[in-house]
Amino acid sequence: MTKTPKLLAYAIVGIGALFMLAPFYFMFVFATQSRTDIFNVPPPLFFSDQLLNNLQVLTTRLPFWKNVGWSLYVGLMSTALTLLFCSMAGYAFALLEFRFKQALFALVMATLMVPSFMNMIPSFMVMDALGWIDTHRALYLPGAASAFGIFLMRQFAASTVPKELLSAARIDGASELGIYWRIALPLMKPALGTLGLITFISSWNNFMNPLIVMRTAENYTLPLALRSLFSTTSTEWGALMAGSAIATLPLIVLFVISSRQLIAGLTAGAVK
């Protein structure tokens, strides 16, 4: 590639990156502005000194830090349970032989074709029947074994865990649970990291499920709590932007730390 096309490619990528990063930049800028300053024409481009006032409004209108804690709790529980159940199911579908294996896996994959909005009313009815309305277990238990997670772990286990190693462990007297825990699971770490990151981000940003089952502000997760700040007459946009910025920071840090792990997990096994 000659120098000019390379510079042009860098320029196109740089402009695209600026357009992608602009909403995040303005969110952090508006978090430091008053409500009236946000709607100035042209809008403010630099940080101001209203961050503490916006945070005070935010914590007055909402039990904000409790909402942050609930989001963290639900995210961690969702991630832990998804990694456990999906890795077990993926290991079984990839490396074990049992009756109706193909049919069951096809049934799991078929659930991916069901639109998510079709589950809203049945999910609410099930949660109500179980007495889980306004409880956080309703946010992480129903989706603990996702079809996408099972598919990802199954594909990774089939391509990276050698069956000969499992056969040798069985000859040595290892149990199936011991083989899964001591041999297969360590070899599946790249896919576990990828699935864990995707699951935590999805849970952290989840708005629809809390909207269906949560009733009290003290139990809200962050997306639902921030949505409750909206008003037809007096939305505190500075406080809303401050809360959104705080909610975004953990995801940015998490992605920066684990982006290489995410790419490695998605591409592992693609080249033999």
Side-chain angles (χ1 to χ4, degrees), residues 128-269:
D128 187 40
L130 294 173
W132 288 4
I133 297 298
D134 206 25
T135 64
H136 295 94
R137 67 176 71 94
L139 301 180
Y140 57 80
L141 283 178
S146 66
F148 168 77
I150 293 173
F151 174 76
L152 177 65
M153 300 306 297
R154 186 253 188 190
Q155 296 301 105
F156 190 87
S159 62
T160 59
V161 180
K163 292 185 177 180
E164 295 79 6
L165 186 61
L166 306 186
S167 299
R170 293 188 183 100
I171 293 173
D172 289 339
S175 64
E176 288 298 332
L177 183 61
I179 293 172
Y180 157 77
W181 188 258
R182 298 177 183 176
I183 299 176
L185 201 60
L187 294 175
M188 296 160 65
K189 281 183 179 179
L192 289 171
T194 300
L195 181 59
L197 180 62
I198 294 173
T199 303
F200 184 84
I201 292 175
S202 177
S203 175
W204 186 269
N205 292 328
N206 190 2
F207 172 76
M208 190 56 64
N209 288 347
L211 179 65
I212 293 172
V213 300
M214 290 301 166
R215 295 293 178 266
T216 57
E218 288 76 11
N219 290 332
Y220 285 173
T221 53
L222 269 177
L224 189 57
L226 294 176
R227 176 61 181 83
S228 68
L229 287 176
F230 279 96
S231 170
T232 56
T233 56
S234 60
T235 300
E236 292 289 346
W237 290 102
L240 182 60
M241 290 296 103
S244 300
I246 294 174
T248 304
L249 278 175
L251 299 184
I252 294 175
V253 173
L254 182 63
F255 184 78
V256 169
I257 293 174
S258 58
S259 59
R260 183 172 299 180
Q261 175 73 31
L262 173 64
I263 296 172
L266 290 174
T267 58

Side-chain angles (χ1 to χ4, degrees), residues 10-62:
Y10 283 137
I12 294 174
V13 171
I15 293 172
L18 287 177
F19 276 105
M20 292 179 63
L21 293 174
F24 295 97
Y25 175 76
F26 280 106
M27 178 181 64
F28 286 106
V29 169
F30 291 164
T32 66
Q33 306 285 342
S34 66
R35 181 172 60 177
T36 55
D37 290 338
I38 290 175
F39 291 97
N40 285 342
V41 180
L45 299 178
F46 302 102
F47 297 96
S48 184
D49 57 355
Q50 297 298 309
L51 177 61
L52 293 180
N53 291 335
N54 290 333
L55 289 176
Q56 183 177 6
V57 172
L58 180 66
T59 54
T60 301
R61 296 277 297 271
L62 293 173

